[in-house]
């Protein structure tokens, strides 16, 4: 059964020696809950949540094996929560409903360039969203239009985000 939201009281944990995650503070989401929220998904995905009184938080939930996931909790968030490792938190989690929504103007323009569209579709979702979010973050319509043109040109040359300025 797939649910869209759940609430739990849990403890802030911290990794000791865990490769790149050494020293991270996190919230553990066991496989039973993650599978109810997003069944059979074993890769990272976006969630919305409320932790204690902080609402409208958005995170990537990261897989750590055996179907378990973590929500990394950065130091600045711990300060806002007034919580430390070992403290209990109340968390309400739901799937991010905007996860797969791309900038409409970008997608519309991308439709006119088959090579760019084909390469874009071959990229992993997080890279696709990165392009779209960069375009959406433009402060003016002219900047947005310039970014769309730059991205589509780079994609048509099979270039990723890091190579965008080399076109």
């Amino acid at each position: 059964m797939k649910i869209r939201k759940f609430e739990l009281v849990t403890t802030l944990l911290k990794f000791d020696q865990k490769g790149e995650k050494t020293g991270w503070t996190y919230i553990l989401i066991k496989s039973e809950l993650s599978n109810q929220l997003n069944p059979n998904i074993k890769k990272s995905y976006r969630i919305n949540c409320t932790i204690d009184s902080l609402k409208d938080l958005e995170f990537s939930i990261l897989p750590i094996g055996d179907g378990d996931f973590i929500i990394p909790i950065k130091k600045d968030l711990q300060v806002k929560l007034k919580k430390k490792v070992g403290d209990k938190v109340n968390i309400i989690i739901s799937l991010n409903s905007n996860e797969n929504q791309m900038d409409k103007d970008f997608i519309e323009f991308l439709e006119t360039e088959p090579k760019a569209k084909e390469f874009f579709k071959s990229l992993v979702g997080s890279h696709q969203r990165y392009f779209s979010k960069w375009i959406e973050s433009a402060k003016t319509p002219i900047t947005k239009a310039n970014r769309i043109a730059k991205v589509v040109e780079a994609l048509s040359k099979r270039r990723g985000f890091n190579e965008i300025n080399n076109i």
Side-chain angles (χ1 to χ4, degrees), residues 68-124:
D68 294 341
F69 286 81
I70 62 167
I71 302 170
I73 305 296
K74 293 183 179 178
K75 193 56 127 178
D76 62 330
L77 183 54
Q78 290 177 55
V79 170
K80 288 179 186 174
L81 290 167
K82 298 180 178 133
K83 301 285 181 157
K84 62 186 183 318
V85 174
D87 288 347
K88 297 276 186 200
V89 291
N90 184 58
I91 184 167
I92 302 169
I93 300 173
S94 61
L95 279 175
N96 184 325
S97 58
N98 296 325
E99 181 172 0
N100 295 321
Q101 290 182 356
M102 298 288 161
D103 182 86
K104 289 180 181 140
D105 296 325
F106 169 52
I107 296 303
E108 186 176 305
F109 193 77
L110 193 60
E111 291 292 328
T112 67
E113 295 292 333
K115 283 183 179 178
K117 179 182 174 186
E118 178 186 346
F119 181 64
F120 181 75
K121 294 287 185 185
S122 75
L123 299 173
V124 296

